[in-house]
Amino acid sequence: MKFIDCNEYIKIEYESEFNFDHCMVYLDRSDIECMHRVKDNELYKLIKVDNILILFKVIAENNAIKISFLNTIPTMLIKEKIARYVWSMFDLDTDIQQFYDKVKEDKILKILINRYRGLRIIKINDLFEGLCWAIIGQQINLKFAYTLKKRLVEKYGEKLTFEGINYFIFPTPDIISQIKVEDLRKLQFTKRKSEYLIGVAKLFDDGTINKQKLLLQNDYKKIHNVLTSIRGIGNWTADYTILKCLNINCAFPIADAGIHNALKIILNTSEKPTLDEIRIMSENWQGWEAYATFYIWRYLYD
DNA sequence: ATCCAGGAACTGT
DNA sequence: ACAGTTCATGGA
């Protein structure tokens, strides 16, 4: 990844297949998303780098991603970190051609990869945020999940106001580990969900778990085992989080309701497919289940 | 108003 | 190992 510095903005050039617009549809799927903002096909995001809040705007223009800095012009070192952040957020390290080659004859995916060519998994770079989001999303509809996340972030996350609009940083483990179940109950989290979130925050806060440590396992199954040994993290949450946070493309949240609903529509069946039916369908996707999942999800947002 | 959806832990077999 | 139950809410 190399970038060109133009002072108030930087440009990252990419050579592999990438379609910013297909990604933006996914990013714009909720109007109460609080971790970024989409306006006029531009992405606004606040992140904290080296303890400095940086608000930036991302657009695509001829084989490059343009990142403009809004609240401050960062140092070169920070610019480089932001470039890497955005690169990783759009999963530009993945050789997507391998996925296309793998599934080009697959009954379901051949349609999706033609329709959404260049779509990449939108990552949550922060593992703690990714795990919390997965836990929040357990067992409830997406809309309510977004409502709960917004309440959590607005109450406990760091805020920057720019041109009258508030942007937030996801609350840190340090903060969440110190709050009480009753505090989250007030925000309409269930007792269990509150316990799970606070428990996970404690594990991050005391250093038991972090992204680097987890990646040391260097193996999907081992990482999956580490995650599911944590209270509140079952198969679905572990696979969802691996898909969203790590570069492991065999993660497959097979029990996901979104996958089931999308497949029912795509296959035009009266019932949602059973787990066994999905297992059979997904034999063609081996090694690329995460991408298959993301392309199937994307179908829900047309 | 009633029923269903939907992940994980827990309980019982 | 496996089936049934509980949690607690929004949405149909």
Side-chain angles (χ1 to χ4, degrees):
Chain A
M1 182 219 67
K2 56 178 199 277
F3 72 91
I4 304 151
D5 182 36
C6 305
N7 194 34
E8 75 273 17
Y9 67 89
I10 58 174
K11 275 185 175 184
I12 321 173
E13 292 176 339
Y14 55 87
E15 277 134 41
S16 53
E17 205 144 4
F18 173 56
N19 185 304
F20 184 70
D21 293 349
H22 287 327
C23 295
M24 287 298 274
V25 172
Y26 175 84
L27 282 162
D28 199 21
R29 73 202 157 119
S30 168
D31 49 14
I32 53 169
E33 171 65 72
C34 57
M35 300 315 297
H36 62 255
R37 171 174 176 245
V38 172
K39 180 96 199 315
D40 302 330
N41 215 35
E42 299 175 329
L43 171 70
Y44 295 77
K45 181 142 182 87
L46 178 69
I47 63 173
K48 200 170 195 181
V49 187
D50 295 348
N51 221 30
I52 299 169
L53 291 175
I54 312 275
L55 178 66
F56 58 84
K57 181 174 89 175
V58 183
I59 61 169
E61 52 179 43
N62 24 309
N63 280 19
I65 294 170
K66 181 179 167 187
I67 305 167
S68 311
F69 305 106
L70 303 178
N71 64 324
T72 177
I73 295 178
T75 64
M76 196 53 86
L77 194 70
I78 292 181
K79 280 178 177 171
E80 195 173 336
K81 288 184 181 178
I82 294 168
R84 253 190 255 127
Y85 182 95
V86 172
W87 188 261
S88 148
M89 180 178 176
F90 287 100
D91 197 36
L92 284 158
D93 276 328
T94 291
D95 182 0
I96 207 169
Q97 208 56 54
Q98 282 185 36
F99 167 56
Y100 294 153
D101 287 345
K102 176 87 189 174
V103 303
K104 62 175 182 277
E105 306 294 342
D106 183 81
K107 185 178 152 225
I108 299 159
L109 285 172
K110 71 177 177 199
I111 303 163
L112 300 178
I113 63 173
N114 285 321
R115 196 197 280 237
Y116 307 125
R117 191 156 284 266
L119 171 68
R120 285 167 181 277
I121 295 180
I122 304 299
K123 299 285 181 176
I124 298 171
N125 288 341
D126 177 3
L127 178 65
F128 176 65
E129 179 189 334
L131 267 177
C132 289
W133 174 232
I135 291 168
I136 291 170
Q138 288 169 1
Q139 202 211 356
I140 56 174
N141 63 69
L142 247 196
K143 193 180 173 204
F144 187 46
Y146 274 111
T147 302
L148 289 179
K149 180 168 81 166
K150 190 163 191 279
R151 288 178 188 158
L152 181 77
V153 167
E154 288 183 348
K155 178 142 188 196
Y156 298 106
E158 200 169 345
K159 178 174 81 174
L160 177 88
T161 305
F162 181 79
E163 292 179 349
I165 294 169
N166 294 331
Y167 299 89
F168 292 90
I169 301 286
F170 196 81
T172 58
D174 163 56
I175 301 287
I176 303 295
S177 64
Q178 292 180 56
I179 64 180
K180 299 282 166 257
V181 168
E182 305 80 72
D183 298 322
L184 290 178
R185 289 288 296 130
K186 280 180 212 147
L187 306 183
Q188 265 183 302
F189 285 72
T190 62
K191 184 165 172 281
R192 287 220 183 123
K193 215 167 261 197
S194 307
E195 290 166 359
Y196 299 164
L197 286 174
I198 293 165
V200 167
K202 282 182 174 155
L203 294 176
F204 273 80
D205 189 52
D206 69 18
T208 306
I209 184 173
N210 62 49
K211 193 169 177 177
Q212 280 189 333
K213 258 189 182 174
L214 195 64
L215 285 171
L216 286 180
Q217 302 293 318
N218 206 26
D219 172 85
Y220 163 73
K221 278 200 174 136
K222 285 183 192 162
I223 290 175
H224 193 276
N225 276 340
V226 171
L227 291 175
T228 50
S229 68
I230 299 167
R231 183 166 182 268
I233 301 179
N235 287 331
W236 176 85
T237 307
D239 281 314
Y240 180 91
T241 306
I242 294 170
L243 182 159
K244 284 294 282 181
C245 301
L246 309 177
N247 289 328
I248 296 176
N249 288 322
C250 62
F252 191 25
I254 191 165
D256 184 77
I259 296 178
H260 302 168
N261 294 331
L263 284 176
K264 178 172 178 282
I265 303 169
I266 295 167
L267 299 166
N268 194 26
T269 48
S270 56
E271 297 297 326
K272 288 184 269 190
T274 64
L275 290 185
D276 280 338
E277 284 166 347
I278 299 174
R279 280 189 197 102
I280 292 165
M281 290 175 217
S282 63
E283 279 170 10
N284 290 337
W285 314 342
Q286 262 181 43
W288 289 96
E289 291 89 341
Y291 259 87
T293 299
F294 203 74
Y295 273 63
I296 291 167
W297 280 340
R298 176 63 183 74
Y299 192 80
L300 295 168
Y301 305 113
D302 270 347

